């Protein structure tokens, strides 16, 4: 009798949920999560994905918001992932002037407007908007297939001009504390500042021209986004409280 009772208790014990490697403490199974991840990478609106996946639209929208945040983290941490988006947008983990101008261009573009209209995300704060900007920017870079060195292969005259400016900067730093240096060479310093700014803009122009001339449309942009984000999440899973 005792054995039968123990057997029933053992049968009644619920089976453990399969582990989701991409989300810690997740109620969502890994199978369903990967369905949402695929929908996100393929740019499928939450409403459309809900109709075909059997997952609620609310769950999909919430997961999309988290994926945007993780995509931003991925672009920051892996500069050469996601179509080299981080390489172009960031320096030392921060968005500098060039990246800001690119992001501003994205926000003002028809691509961004269509994305907002297509997905109607609930932008509750500035962080949500930032994540959305980086999502669309990453999609833009994933759509570009560049040959090696496309972003940094400057012409010889540009490289030579850059070396001369660096030499001038080193000379200024080595002598700026000498008596009377600022009075005698103040005009050189002002000229150096102007040339440095012009050179920065020239380098950006060369990079953009190189992107246009040495790139082509990527054959599988959504697959690239899906692959890179999936790999990133395996190493840096989502924490569900």
């Amino acid at each position: 009798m005792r054995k039968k009772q123990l057997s029933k208790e053992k049968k009644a014990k619920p089976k453990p949920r399969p582990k989701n490697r991409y989300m810690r403490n997740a109620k969502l199974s890994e199978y369903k999560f990967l369905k949402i991840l695929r929908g996100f990478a393929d740019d499928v609106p939450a409403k459309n994905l809900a109709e075909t996946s059997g997952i609620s639209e609310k769950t999909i929208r919430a997961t999309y918001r988290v994926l945007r945040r993780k995509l931003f983290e991925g672009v920051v941490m892996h500069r050469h992932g996601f179509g080299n988006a981080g390489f172009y947008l960031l320096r030392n983990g921060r968005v500098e002037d060039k990246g800001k101008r690119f992001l501003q261009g994205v926000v003002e573009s028809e691509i961004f407007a269509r994305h907002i209209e297509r997905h109607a995300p609930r932008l509750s704060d500035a962080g949500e908007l930032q994540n959305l900007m980086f999502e669309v920017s990453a999609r833009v870079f994933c759509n570009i297939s560049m040959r090696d060195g496309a972003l940094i292969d400057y012409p010889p005259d540009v490289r030579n001009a850059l070396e001369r400016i660096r030499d001038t900067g080193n000379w200024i730093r080595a002598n700026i504390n000498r008596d009377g240096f600022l009075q005698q060479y103040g005009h050189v310093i002002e000229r150096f500042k102007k040339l440095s700014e012009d050179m920065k803009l020239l380098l950006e122009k060369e990079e953009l021209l190189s992107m246009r001339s040495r790139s082509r449309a990527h054959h599988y942009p959504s697959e690239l986004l899906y692959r890179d984000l999936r790999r990133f999440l395996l190493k840096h899973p989502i924490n569900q409280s």
Side-chain angles (χ1 to χ4, degrees):
M1 187 73 180
R2 177 66 178 165
K3 285 183 179 180
K4 287 184 178 180
Q5 187 176 354
L6 288 172
S7 177
K8 286 181 180 179
E9 288 176 358
K10 193 173 183 180
K11 287 180 181 178
K13 190 176 180 180
K15 293 181 180 180
R17 252 196 326 257
K19 183 180 178 183
N20 186 337
R21 294 170 295 166
Y22 306 91
M23 298 180 80
R24 294 192 179 122
N25 305 316
K27 295 179 181 178
L28 202 63
S29 71
E30 184 171 305
Y31 173 75
K32 287 188 175 181
F33 174 79
L34 288 177
K35 272 192 170 185
I36 297 176
L37 179 60
R38 171 59 73 183
F40 178 80
D42 290 345
D43 201 23
V44 179
K47 184 177 180 180
N48 294 17
L49 184 60
E51 292 171 356
T52 59
S53 66
I55 307 168
S56 74
E57 184 179 344
K58 182 180 178 181
T59 298
I60 295 170
R61 284 191 183 280
T63 308
Y64 274 14
R65 284 197 296 273
V66 177
L67 289 175
R68 288 189 187 106
R69 175 173 58 81
K70 296 301 286 188
L71 177 58
F72 170 67
E73 292 177 16
V75 169
V76 172
M77 294 175 68
H78 296 280
R79 296 177 67 214
H80 294 287
F82 308 101
N84 290 302
F87 177 83
Y88 189 78
L89 295 174
L90 305 164
R91 288 293 181 272
N92 300 318
R94 297 179 59 188
V95 182
E96 294 189 338
D97 290 345
K98 178 174 64 177
K100 287 177 182 177
R101 284 192 286 272
F102 184 90
L103 289 171
Q104 185 62 37
V106 166
V107 170
E108 295 171 356
S109 69
E110 290 184 12
I111 295 173
F112 191 78
R114 286 198 301 269
H115 193 78
I116 292 285
E117 184 180 355
R118 183 175 172 80
H119 293 279
R122 296 177 176 86
L123 301 177
S124 56
D125 55 40
E128 288 286 338
L129 178 60
Q130 173 184 266
N131 294 340
L132 194 66
M133 286 192 300
F134 270 84
E135 178 202 345
V136 176
S137 297
R139 290 184 186 279
V140 170
F141 280 96
C142 286
N143 272 281
I144 300 173
S145 178
M146 286 180 287
R147 289 177 286 181
D148 293 339
L151 288 177
I152 56 175
D153 188 16
Y154 304 122
D157 56 336
V158 174
R159 291 198 296 269
N160 292 337
L162 181 58
E163 286 298 321
R164 288 198 297 272
I165 289 176
R166 285 174 178 165
D167 290 344
T168 304
N170 291 334
W171 177 76
I172 289 172
R173 280 189 291 272
N175 295 279
I176 196 168
N177 293 322
R178 285 172 44 193
D179 292 341
F181 182 82
L182 291 176
Q183 290 80 1
Q184 187 175 359
Y185 295 105
H187 64 288
V188 176
I189 295 174
E190 290 303 315
R191 180 66 177 156
F192 169 74
K193 290 179 181 177
K194 178 68 168 56
L195 287 173
S196 296
E197 185 60 31
D198 289 346
M199 176 56 72
K200 186 196 297 186
L201 295 174
L202 177 60
L203 294 180
E204 290 180 20
K205 182 180 177 181
E206 290 295 338
E207 285 184 344
L208 288 170
L209 288 173
S210 186
M211 286 174 66
R212 289 172 189 161
S213 63
R214 304 189 65 191
S215 65
R216 60 188 183 277
H218 197 288
H219 290 304
Y220 307 103
S222 62
E223 188 62 36
L224 177 62
L225 181 63
Y226 176 80
R227 183 196 67 197
D228 284 0
L229 189 51
R230 183 174 176 175
R231 286 176 178 173
F232 178 75
L233 290 171
L234 279 173
K235 293 182 179 180
H236 308 278
I238 298 163
N239 289 307
Q240 290 288 96
S241 55

